[in-house]
Amino acid sequence: MSRPAKGIPEPRRRHLGLAAAAGSDTARGTRHGDGRDAFALAWADAVVGTSYVSMSRTEVEEHLRGLTDRLAEALFTEPFTADAARQVGAAMVGAHFTGTETLNRTIALVADELPLRLGLDRSTPWRLSALQGALAAGYAEALRQRTLDEQEAISQAVFVARDQAEQALRVSEARFRAVFAEAAIGMGIADMDGNILDANASLLDMFGYSLEELTRRNVRDFMHAEDAASVWRLYDELVSGQRDHFRVEKRFERSDGEVIWTHLTASLIRDDEGRPTYQVAMIEDVTDRHLLQDRLRYQALHDPLTGLPNRALFLERLAEAFDSAAEEDRIGLCYLDLDGFKVINDSLGHDVGDQLLVAVGQRLDACVSAPGRLVARIGGDEFIILMERSSSTRDVVAIADHVLAALEAPIRVREHELSISASIGLVERSIVGTTPADVMRDADITLYWAKADGKAKWALFDPERNAREVARFTLSTTMPAAIERGEFYLDYQPLVRLCDGQVVGAEALVRWHHPEFGLLAPDRFIGLAEETGQIVPLGRWVLRQACHQARLWQDRFGSRAPFISVNLAVRQSRDPGLVADVAKILADTGVEATRLQLELTESAIMGTADEPLDALRALSAMGVRIAIDDFGTGYSNLAYLRHLPVHELKIAGSFVEGLRASASDGSHVVDARIVGTLVSLAHALGLGVTAEGVETADQARRLDDIGCDSGQGWYYARPGPPERIDHILSDVR
Ligand code: C2E
Ligand code: CA
Ligand code: CA
């Protein structure tokens, strides 16, 4: 019947057996004690690993040894009772020997090993059976009880946990209420229909309502007429559940009608199923900050002196006008600059100037009160009127007239009665195809035109005039580089002695071979060069080039070489460096001064200033010939010529034109007499006479008859390259 329990290594059992045999000496006697140790050991071997117990192997053996004693007592106690076995079963459960195999193995072991180990005879099998039954019953009952206990413990734990959670909720709710109540930020709760349910003290304070008043109202009652459209679009998205929160800057009206500015954060609260249930608003009063910002913005966008919008605001509004304009919209600008403001400012002081500007600003403001119109001060004495959605050019012209009239009455500043006027540049056009920068630039150009036209005038932008000026401007800015690049060249036109047709001189005529515009005649750029001052370097270049050519002719033809005649612009004749320039060029090119003739118009010579005359006298003294170009088209004060250093008169082509033989009305006879008188007067003054614009042989003959010295014109030769003069001179020889 005895069999070693499985899984326990042999030496260990022996060792444990030896140890038990040596150490156990209980009150129940050595004989019984040895057997009980062995049984406890076998029991331990059988059940170990069948249950998860928190005991070490030694502790298991000790525990089972105790239970073995109690089983033994039950077996031997008279009268027999199996109660102790029931307690042993319960004790096993108590020690967590609850694995499914544990009970089975224990029952088997009690039957197989216990009688043997305790020295029982085979006459007591019924006691064993009773013992087994009681043990199993005690075990089962204990196990059931333990399960119940565990269930109870779990439900208890759940209960405790739930209780704790609820408490935590209550704590957080309390915390929330405290925050809600105490918060400096205004908070309000509403249902999804916008009915206000609750609001904290800060919000009530901010809005000036009692909680009762507020909860009678709906969120939508707080729409403000000037709310940005986006505010209520965001709100609709919130209450329809499309978004969970939004944050905007919004104004509200307090119960007392005062407007407050706020930062509003609105959020949605959803229930466990995710359905939107409440909306919460957090509202921060930022009115002070807003007012400050408004103030700063106002200061940044207004002129402190006149209080009018400044350039920045004007440009902002102009850009907005373009952004918001419809296709068919037009726009108008009235750009104003006071005439002679600087004089007033400089002579009467800045204080008076400032007061004057303030008064002008007020008058302008009064002129344009209509909506969509803005008066701005955009510079020292410059104002601008913006007319959004102007109806026609007539509109801006009317405004300009109105403004000029408004400024007519003198302005009183302290003891001064100040008369002031303005020049106005007007631009009015369809918004399509133009930009804010375009209209500003064009208004600027037009104001310049108005200024040039004289005081108290308006000018209207003219695209054609502008195109011409743009071209002129382009030419003037590229001129210096064009000289460098050698884009200019000279044509020469012979001056012919009438009595024998001999070429005695050649006029140098400048041309510009422009890379973009092609060949440009002098009419296109000489006037411009005079305005910009470019004529001085250009004229110097012409003179040098012409003298260089004269030198070539001088070398080639000697005494028969033609003198060179060079045009001198008014501006050049007044250039202080003129005499030195001429002297240097003559020296550099090695041309005799007597071979150079300078052509000046009457106005250049008859001007009031003395300096040009001094220069001409100096040049004349050097031996340079001075001719009056286009004689007869200017002052025509022949008597005055006596006092001038002049050697030659070039009679303008218009006189010569009348000498055509074809004229049947006899007018040529009159013209011939005029020219005749002119020639004799000139000769009386010791001057030579050259006729310009000689186109026919007839004219040439008549001029010769009249006594004219020389002729120039297509009849002899058109202006051309210098080689043509070479040919003529060579042929004649
Ligand atoms: P201008 O000094 O009176 O020069 C004569 C102009 O009359 C030239 O025009 C010439 O081509 C033109 N002409 C010559 N013969 C006839 C003719 O038989 N009939 C007609 N109808 N016209 C004739 P261009 O070359 O166009 O020069 C125009 C003006 O430009 C010149 O008038 C002169 O005032 C100015 N200019 C030309 N070159 C220079 C220069 O180098 N410096 C300066 N300051 N002005 C120049
Ligand atoms: Ca000329
Ligand atoms: Ca001329």
Side-chain angles (χ1 to χ4, degrees), residues 497-522:
R497 193 159 57 207
L498 290 174
C499 60
D500 59 4
Q502 182 75 34
V503 173
V504 290
E507 179 176 0
L509 296 161
V510 70
R511 279 95 182 80
W512 186 352
H513 192 82
H514 195 278
E516 205 180 315
F517 306 127
L519 178 61
L520 299 178

mmCIF file of all heavy atoms in Angstrom, residues 497-522:
data_model
loop_
_atom_site.group_PDB
_atom_site.id
_atom_site.type_symbol
_atom_site.label_atom_id
_atom_site.label_comp_id
_atom_site.label_asym_id
_atom_site.label_seq_id
_atom_site.Cartn_x
_atom_site.Cartn_y
_atom_site.Cartn_z
ATOM 1 N N ARG A 497 28.207 129.737 -100.289
ATOM 2 C CA ARG A 497 28.318 131.141 -100.679
ATOM 3 C C ARG A 497 27.495 131.337 -101.943
ATOM 4 O O ARG A 497 27.671 130.612 -102.934
ATOM 5 C CB ARG A 497 29.788 131.508 -100.938
ATOM 6 C CG ARG A 497 30.031 132.992 -101.049
ATOM 7 C CD ARG A 497 31.487 133.298 -100.785
ATOM 8 N NE ARG A 497 32.372 132.550 -101.706
ATOM 9 C CZ ARG A 497 33.637 132.191 -101.412
ATOM 10 N NH1 ARG A 497 34.168 132.504 -100.253
ATOM 11 N NH2 ARG A 497 34.359 131.530 -102.279
ATOM 12 N N LEU A 498 26.554 132.286 -101.871
ATOM 13 C CA LEU A 498 25.577 132.417 -102.943
ATOM 14 C C LEU A 498 26.189 132.879 -104.263
ATOM 15 O O LEU A 498 25.792 132.426 -105.326
ATOM 16 C CB LEU A 498 24.469 133.373 -102.529
ATOM 17 C CG LEU A 498 23.531 132.819 -101.428
ATOM 18 C CD1 LEU A 498 22.556 133.889 -100.967
ATOM 19 C CD2 LEU A 498 22.769 131.583 -101.919
ATOM 20 N N CYS A 499 27.169 133.759 -104.212
ATOM 21 C CA CYS A 499 27.692 134.301 -105.446
ATOM 22 C C CYS A 499 28.381 133.262 -106.317
ATOM 23 O O CYS A 499 28.255 133.280 -107.531
ATOM 24 C CB CYS A 499 28.611 135.488 -105.166
ATOM 25 S SG CYS A 499 30.027 135.040 -104.138
ATOM 26 N N ASP A 500 29.026 132.266 -105.679
ATOM 27 C CA ASP A 500 29.717 131.271 -106.504
ATOM 28 C C ASP A 500 29.412 129.814 -106.144
ATOM 29 O O ASP A 500 30.013 128.893 -106.681
ATOM 30 C CB ASP A 500 31.226 131.498 -106.456
ATOM 31 C CG ASP A 500 31.771 131.414 -105.024
ATOM 32 O OD1 ASP A 500 30.958 131.101 -104.106
ATOM 33 O OD2 ASP A 500 32.972 131.629 -104.805
ATOM 34 N N GLY A 501 28.480 129.631 -105.194
ATOM 35 C CA GLY A 501 28.089 128.263 -104.839
ATOM 36 C C GLY A 501 29.155 127.484 -104.094
ATOM 37 O O GLY A 501 29.054 126.266 -103.959
ATOM 38 N N GLN A 502 30.136 128.183 -103.607
ATOM 39 C CA GLN A 502 31.226 127.532 -102.873
ATOM 40 C C GLN A 502 30.758 127.147 -101.468
ATOM 41 O O GLN A 502 30.101 127.938 -100.795
ATOM 42 C CB GLN A 502 32.408 128.509 -102.777
ATOM 43 C CG GLN A 502 33.637 127.961 -102.086
ATOM 44 C CD GLN A 502 34.400 126.965 -102.972
ATOM 45 O OE1 GLN A 502 34.453 127.118 -104.213
ATOM 46 N NE2 GLN A 502 34.959 125.938 -102.357
ATOM 47 N N VAL A 503 31.103 125.908 -101.019
ATOM 48 C CA VAL A 503 30.805 125.502 -99.637
ATOM 49 C C VAL A 503 31.813 126.178 -98.723
ATOM 50 O O VAL A 503 33.006 125.912 -98.832
ATOM 51 C CB VAL A 503 30.879 123.983 -99.457
ATOM 52 C CG1 VAL A 503 30.738 123.608 -97.978
ATOM 53 C CG2 VAL A 503 29.788 123.299 -100.269
ATOM 54 N N VAL A 504 31.314 127.072 -97.877
ATOM 55 C CA VAL A 504 32.231 127.798 -97.001
ATOM 56 C C VAL A 504 32.185 127.294 -95.564
ATOM 57 O O VAL A 504 33.121 127.505 -94.793
ATOM 58 C CB VAL A 504 31.944 129.309 -97.025
ATOM 59 C CG1 VAL A 504 32.327 129.915 -98.380
ATOM 60 C CG2 VAL A 504 30.468 129.574 -96.707
ATOM 61 N N GLY A 505 31.056 126.658 -95.240
ATOM 62 C CA GLY A 505 30.937 126.158 -93.861
ATOM 63 C C GLY A 505 30.029 124.950 -93.804
ATOM 64 O O GLY A 505 29.485 124.528 -94.840
ATOM 65 N N ALA A 506 29.900 124.370 -92.586
ATOM 66 C CA ALA A 506 28.985 123.248 -92.412
ATOM 67 C C ALA A 506 28.385 123.329 -91.016
ATOM 68 O O ALA A 506 29.103 123.576 -90.043
ATOM 69 C CB ALA A 506 29.718 121.931 -92.601
ATOM 70 N N GLU A 507 27.056 123.179 -90.943
ATOM 71 C CA GLU A 507 26.427 123.182 -89.632
ATOM 72 C C GLU A 507 26.350 121.753 -89.117
ATOM 73 O O GLU A 507 25.941 120.841 -89.845
ATOM 74 C CB GLU A 507 25.017 123.792 -89.690
ATOM 75 C CG GLU A 507 24.358 123.776 -88.309
ATOM 76 C CD GLU A 507 22.993 124.457 -88.272
ATOM 77 O OE1 GLU A 507 22.523 124.957 -89.315
ATOM 78 O OE2 GLU A 507 22.387 124.479 -87.176
ATOM 79 N N ALA A 508 26.781 121.591 -87.874
ATOM 80 C CA ALA A 508 26.715 120.274 -87.240
ATOM 81 C C ALA A 508 25.330 120.113 -86.606
ATOM 82 O O ALA A 508 24.890 120.959 -85.846
ATOM 83 C CB ALA A 508 27.799 120.154 -86.177
ATOM 84 N N LEU A 509 24.646 119.024 -86.954
ATOM 85 C CA LEU A 509 23.299 118.766 -86.422
ATOM 86 C C LEU A 509 23.292 117.388 -85.769
ATOM 87 O O LEU A 509 23.607 116.380 -86.390
ATOM 88 C CB LEU A 509 22.267 118.826 -87.551
ATOM 89 C CG LEU A 509 22.134 120.209 -88.202
ATOM 90 C CD1 LEU A 509 21.479 120.112 -89.579
ATOM 91 C CD2 LEU A 509 21.338 121.156 -87.295
ATOM 92 N N VAL A 510 22.921 117.383 -84.500
ATOM 93 C CA VAL A 510 23.061 116.141 -83.727
ATOM 94 C C VAL A 510 21.851 115.226 -83.941
ATOM 95 O O VAL A 510 20.736 115.670 -84.150
ATOM 96 C CB VAL A 510 23.248 116.463 -82.219
ATOM 97 C CG1 VAL A 510 21.981 117.015 -81.602
ATOM 98 C CG2 VAL A 510 23.707 115.211 -81.448
ATOM 99 N N ARG A 511 22.086 113.928 -83.908
ATOM 100 C CA ARG A 511 21.048 112.896 -83.973
ATOM 101 C C ARG A 511 21.317 111.828 -82.929
ATOM 102 O O ARG A 511 22.466 111.608 -82.557
ATOM 103 C CB ARG A 511 21.049 112.206 -85.355
ATOM 104 C CG ARG A 511 20.341 112.937 -86.441
ATOM 105 C CD ARG A 511 21.315 113.771 -87.243
ATOM 106 N NE ARG A 511 20.679 114.558 -88.311
ATOM 107 C CZ ARG A 511 20.039 115.724 -88.130
ATOM 108 N NH1 ARG A 511 19.917 116.228 -86.908
ATOM 109 N NH2 ARG A 511 19.522 116.375 -89.138
ATOM 110 N N TRP A 512 20.244 111.197 -82.525
ATOM 111 C CA TRP A 512 20.379 110.126 -81.507
ATOM 112 C C TRP A 512 19.911 108.817 -82.121
ATOM 113 O O TRP A 512 18.738 108.670 -82.450
ATOM 114 C CB TRP A 512 19.520 110.467 -80.286
ATOM 115 C CG TRP A 512 19.667 109.534 -79.116
ATOM 116 C CD1 TRP A 512 20.352 108.354 -79.077
ATOM 117 C CD2 TRP A 512 19.117 109.729 -77.805
ATOM 118 N NE1 TRP A 512 20.276 107.798 -77.829
ATOM 119 C CE2 TRP A 512 19.515 108.607 -77.013
ATOM 120 C CE3 TRP A 512 18.333 110.719 -77.203
ATOM 121 C CZ2 TRP A 512 19.137 108.459 -75.672
ATOM 122 C CZ3 TRP A 512 17.966 110.567 -75.880
ATOM 123 C CH2 TRP A 512 18.373 109.447 -75.112
ATOM 124 N N HIS A 513 20.844 107.918 -82.251
ATOM 125 C CA HIS A 513 20.457 106.605 -82.734
ATOM 126 C C HIS A 513 20.085 105.778 -81.507
ATOM 127 O O HIS A 513 20.909 105.118 -80.905
ATOM 128 C CB HIS A 513 21.597 105.949 -83.515
ATOM 129 C CG HIS A 513 21.149 104.739 -84.251
ATOM 130 N ND1 HIS A 513 20.524 104.803 -85.481
ATOM 131 C CD2 HIS A 513 21.181 103.421 -83.927
ATOM 132 C CE1 HIS A 513 20.201 103.589 -85.867
ATOM 133 N NE2 HIS A 513 20.590 102.732 -84.945
ATOM 134 N N HIS A 514 18.766 105.830 -81.168
ATOM 135 C CA HIS A 514 18.308 105.205 -79.911
ATOM 136 C C HIS A 514 18.085 103.714 -80.129
ATOM 137 O O HIS A 514 17.450 103.317 -81.107
ATOM 138 C CB HIS A 514 17.016 105.876 -79.446
ATOM 139 C CG HIS A 514 16.672 105.577 -78.020
ATOM 140 N ND1 HIS A 514 16.038 104.423 -77.643
ATOM 141 C CD2 HIS A 514 16.893 106.283 -76.879
ATOM 142 C CE1 HIS A 514 15.878 104.443 -76.324
ATOM 143 N NE2 HIS A 514 16.390 105.554 -75.839
ATOM 144 N N PRO A 515 18.619 102.879 -79.214
ATOM 145 C CA PRO A 515 18.514 101.426 -79.410
ATOM 146 C C PRO A 515 17.061 100.946 -79.448
ATOM 147 O O PRO A 515 16.759 99.926 -80.062
ATOM 148 C CB PRO A 515 19.240 100.841 -78.188
ATOM 149 C CG PRO A 515 19.298 101.941 -77.186
ATOM 150 C CD PRO A 515 19.313 103.220 -77.963
ATOM 151 N N GLU A 516 16.150 101.695 -78.804
ATOM 152 C CA GLU A 516 14.762 101.235 -78.716
ATOM 153 C C GLU A 516 13.850 102.031 -79.646
ATOM 154 O O GLU A 516 13.032 101.460 -80.354
ATOM 155 C CB GLU A 516 14.313 101.428 -77.263
ATOM 156 C CG GLU A 516 13.196 100.533 -76.807
ATOM 157 C CD GLU A 516 12.850 100.818 -75.361
ATOM 158 O OE1 GLU A 516 13.812 100.945 -74.546
ATOM 159 O OE2 GLU A 516 11.658 100.964 -75.055
ATOM 160 N N PHE A 517 14.006 103.373 -79.652
ATOM 161 C CA PHE A 517 13.098 104.226 -80.415
ATOM 162 C C PHE A 517 13.592 104.515 -81.827
ATOM 163 O O PHE A 517 12.938 105.226 -82.576
ATOM 164 C CB PHE A 517 12.869 105.547 -79.671
ATOM 165 C CG PHE A 517 12.398 105.357 -78.247
ATOM 166 C CD1 PHE A 517 13.056 105.956 -77.183
ATOM 167 C CD2 PHE A 517 11.281 104.554 -77.992
ATOM 168 C CE1 PHE A 517 12.604 105.771 -75.880
ATOM 169 C CE2 PHE A 517 10.831 104.369 -76.685
ATOM 170 C CZ PHE A 517 11.495 104.974 -75.625
ATOM 171 N N GLY A 518 14.769 104.021 -82.166
ATOM 172 C CA GLY A 518 15.290 104.275 -83.505
ATOM 173 C C GLY A 518 15.954 105.640 -83.603
ATOM 174 O O GLY A 518 16.403 106.201 -82.602
ATOM 175 N N LEU A 519 15.954 106.216 -84.826
ATOM 176 C CA LEU A 519 16.621 107.495 -85.041
ATOM 177 C C LEU A 519 15.766 108.639 -84.518
ATOM 178 O O LEU A 519 14.615 108.800 -84.916
ATOM 179 C CB LEU A 519 16.884 107.681 -86.546
ATOM 180 C CG LEU A 519 17.538 109.000 -86.926
ATOM 181 C CD1 LEU A 519 18.910 109.143 -86.255
ATOM 182 C CD2 LEU A 519 17.673 109.113 -88.443
ATOM 183 N N LEU A 520 16.328 109.408 -83.605
ATOM 184 C CA LEU A 520 15.593 110.525 -83.019
ATOM 185 C C LEU A 520 16.173 111.845 -83.522
ATOM 186 O O LEU A 520 17.379 112.077 -83.447
ATOM 187 C CB LEU A 520 15.683 110.484 -81.489
ATOM 188 C CG LEU A 520 15.101 109.240 -80.797
ATOM 189 C CD1 LEU A 520 15.308 109.330 -79.288
ATOM 190 C CD2 LEU A 520 13.616 109.096 -81.117
ATOM 191 N N ALA A 521 15.256 112.707 -84.053
ATOM 192 C CA ALA A 521 15.662 114.041 -84.496
ATOM 193 C C ALA A 521 15.875 114.910 -83.261
ATOM 194 O O ALA A 521 15.319 114.624 -82.195
ATOM 195 C CB ALA A 521 14.574 114.625 -85.384
ATOM 196 N N PRO A 522 16.658 115.981 -83.388
ATOM 197 C CA PRO A 522 16.981 116.811 -82.215
ATOM 198 C C PRO A 522 15.743 117.397 -81.523
ATOM 199 O O PRO A 522 15.772 117.608 -80.310
ATOM 200 C CB PRO A 522 17.884 117.906 -82.772
ATOM 201 C CG PRO A 522 17.899 117.743 -84.241
ATOM 202 C CD PRO A 522 17.420 116.376 -84.557
#
